[in-house]
Amino acid sequence: MHYDTVIIGAGAAGMMCAAHCGGRVLVVDHAKAPGEKIRISGGGRCNFTNMYAGPENFLSNNPHFAKSALARYTQWDFVALVDRFDIPWHEKTLGQLFCDTSAKDIVAMLRKLMEDAGVDLRLRASVRNIEKLDNHFSFTLEASDKEVKIISDNLIVATGGKSIPKMGATGFAYDVAHQFGIPVTDTSAALVPFTFAENRFAEISGVATPARVTANGTTFEEALLFTHRGLSGPAVLQASSYWHTGDPITVNLIPAADLLGKLRDQRQTAGRKNFTTELSRHLPARLVDHLSTQMDLSGNLADWSDARLTDLTDTLAAWELHPNGTEGYRTAEVTLGGIDTDALSSKTMEAKNVPGLYFIGEAVDVTGWLGGYNFQWAWSSGMAAARAI
Ligand code: FDA
């Protein structure tokens, strides 16, 4: 069978590209349904883009690479598409746009666009023995015990990264890259919770508090969540993308309040009260209990000198912690690193040395922050390839 374009991976990037590239198109996926990560994303509501998405919200060995695709298909272009399908949405926080009803609306929209474009979708299917012939690709498509030989002018790899293997994530894109001599940068789990030795925070698991979390000089201010195994919550997930094994992280537990000033004021009016009781007006009580097992918080507020209060607030503003690792690909939202952007055209996503071969979406070494940025990269890179074909 001959196709103009074959896309491997019916995820966000693959479906977006398939719906817009024109010609005779086949999409292959080994999963039983397309867009499974879209379906479960954003707690089932899909944070499908971010109002403020720009190149500065992405990590890559080449920070300039994402600029062209993001500028040529923006968050507002995707919002216009969502509006065209009358899908209701809202801004939750920090420019993050979510479906009002269900992430399934986005999957249905992409399926409908593919259907209208006459795209063939083959699920529970996999691809073997890819070969590059003169000016097209040949490979074996394996589906329901049948093997079919396929010829395609363009081959688009949209199989994502390694996060959540239980959902069918594989390193397939990196294997294809290796086969064609295309370099792949180091990959690691990102947007992922930290773990700590001896389940250090197990006793306060479930406690959430606003925090400023810094890893390697990059700081995020959002919620922090103590978990049985360590730390999670948006501020922590964001920082994890900047963390390397062995690095410390710094947590500021009092990001907004002038805690020192407030405790001094309270000392005037509530000096006879227990210090931990007064501190619990600013931090979750269970966290204060936990801190009191790590540091001396004894006495009444009146017993606390300015110097002692300053020491404590300084400590709470720069709590240095040493994660022993992360939860890894099992729970990571994305994979950091991937197909080396030096090997791809930033305008089209085509491999510079292999005409007709494209890599799009999370497989590429472009990783977004938490907050709708990764889907925006999937839409923008998918459109970049679609327009080039
Ligand atoms: P994606 O992973 O979507 O698709 C790849 C497809 O390829 C899959 O369908 C897979 O089955 C298929 N495949 C893999 N290997 C194959 C093989 N060997 N043969 C055939 N098919 C193969 N981002 C965001 O912006 N907002 C959000 O709300 C969220 N929420 C979120 C929640 C959770 C739990 C996770 C894990 C991730 C998110 N993300 C997110 C990240 C986002 O889901 C991710 O970046 C995009 O789905 C990437 O799109 P891709 O199309 O590149 O890969």
Side-chain angles (χ1 to χ4, degrees):
M1 259 189 278
H2 183 265
Y3 286 91
D4 297 314
T5 302
V6 170
I7 299 173
I8 311 175
M15 288 201 282
M16 189 69 180
C17 184
H20 295 94
C21 64
R24 213 165 161 231
V25 182
L26 168 70
V27 181
V28 180
D29 201 296
H30 64 181
K32 62 179 193 303
E36 280 293 87
K37 275 197 188 161
I38 303 176
R39 185 178 60 79
I40 63 150
S41 67
R45 296 263 167 93
C46 185
N47 177 195
F48 55 80
T49 193
N50 193 294
M51 285 160 63
Y52 308 117
E56 62 285 359
N57 308 115
F58 294 84
L59 292 88
S60 170
N61 273 356
N62 176 0
H64 302 291
F65 181 81
K67 284 183 180 168
S68 166
L70 291 170
R72 291 168 68 239
Y73 190 83
T74 70
Q75 57 273 43
W76 302 114
D77 292 321
F78 193 76
V79 168
L81 183 62
V82 167
D83 284 344
R84 182 145 72 78
F85 278 75
D86 288 328
I87 297 173
W89 54 269
H90 61 279
E91 180 194 356
K92 194 168 171 191
T93 175
L94 303 170
Q96 300 168 5
L97 305 187
F98 283 75
C99 296
D100 284 359
T101 319
S102 168
K104 289 181 193 162
D105 289 348
I106 301 290
V107 180
M109 174 185 84
L110 293 166
R111 286 195 83 149
K112 176 80 172 87
L113 285 168
M114 289 202 298
E115 207 179 293
D116 291 350
V119 172
D120 284 349
L121 174 62
R122 298 291 291 274
L123 298 168
R124 297 177 208 263
S126 50
V127 162
R128 279 196 300 111
N129 302 334
I130 301 174
E131 279 181 280
K132 173 99 168 86
L133 307 174
D134 284 346
N135 51 4
H136 50 259
F137 297 84
S138 111
F139 57 85
T140 310
L141 180 73
E142 244 181 30
S144 6
D145 292 338
K146 269 195 250 149
E147 289 197 355
V148 190
K149 195 92 187 149
I150 307 272
I151 301 285
S152 171
D153 298 347
N154 302 297
L155 185 63
I156 304 196
V157 183
T159 47
K162 291 195 265 190
S163 49
I164 325 264
K166 239 165 92 183
M167 294 192 69
T170 65
F172 182 86
Y174 317 134
D175 296 341
V176 176
H178 287 135
Q179 180 189 338
F180 288 98
I182 294 168
V184 176
T185 67
D186 287 345
T187 55
S188 59
L191 299 182
V192 64
F194 287 125
T195 56
F196 286 82
E198 293 158 7
N199 294 345
R200 173 170 177 182
F201 300 115
E203 68 177 36
I204 48 168
S205 153
V207 170
T209 189
R212 215 177 276 152
V213 181
T214 305
N216 277 309
T218 303
T219 301
F220 292 93
E221 185 174 333
E222 276 184 78
L224 171 150
L225 174 70
F226 294 93
T227 70
H228 190 75
R229 298 187 62 196
L231 293 178
S232 187
V236 170
L237 298 182
Q238 299 276 34
S240 74
S241 299
Y242 291 83
W243 181 82
H244 305 115
T245 306
D247 292 343
I249 59 167
T250 308
V251 175
N252 178 348
L253 287 170
I254 48 171
D258 166 20
L259 186 61
L260 178 61
K262 287 186 179 163
L263 288 171
R264 277 163 136 176
D265 291 349
Q266 283 165 244
R267 196 171 53 187
Q268 306 292 324
T269 54
R272 291 190 179 176
K273 292 225 173 116
N274 197 296
F275 180 74
T276 51
T277 309
E278 289 305 294
L279 186 59
S280 301
R281 291 173 58 180
H282 308 286
L283 287 172
R286 283 177 62 205
L287 174 58
V288 173
D289 279 352
H290 174 79
L291 292 172
S292 68
T293 65
Q294 319 277 310
M295 53 183 89
D296 179 15
L297 299 182
S298 60
N300 290 340
L301 188 47
D303 304 332
W304 282 66
S305 64
D306 277 0
R308 195 175 169 202
L309 285 177
T310 305
D311 266 3
L312 176 70
T313 50
D314 286 352
T315 305
L316 295 180
W319 193 21
E320 190 173 289
L321 293 169
H322 295 264
N324 68 356
T326 71
E327 290 189 6
Y329 291 116
R330 190 178 59 82
T331 61
E333 272 200 21
V334 284
T335 300
L336 190 70
I339 310 301
D340 194 330
T341 54
D342 282 352
L344 304 179
S345 152
S346 61
K347 197 169 169 214
T348 65
M349 305 294 134
E350 187 174 20
K352 287 176 184 164
N353 295 331
V354 189
L357 180 63
Y358 298 73
F359 292 88
I360 57 174
E362 197 183 313
V364 179
D365 171 29
V366 173
T367 307
W369 288 0
L370 186 81
Y373 302 99
N374 284 295
F375 279 135
Q376 186 56 44
W377 173 245
W379 317 135
S380 297
S381 61
M383 281 302 279
R387 284 170 170 159
I389 285 167

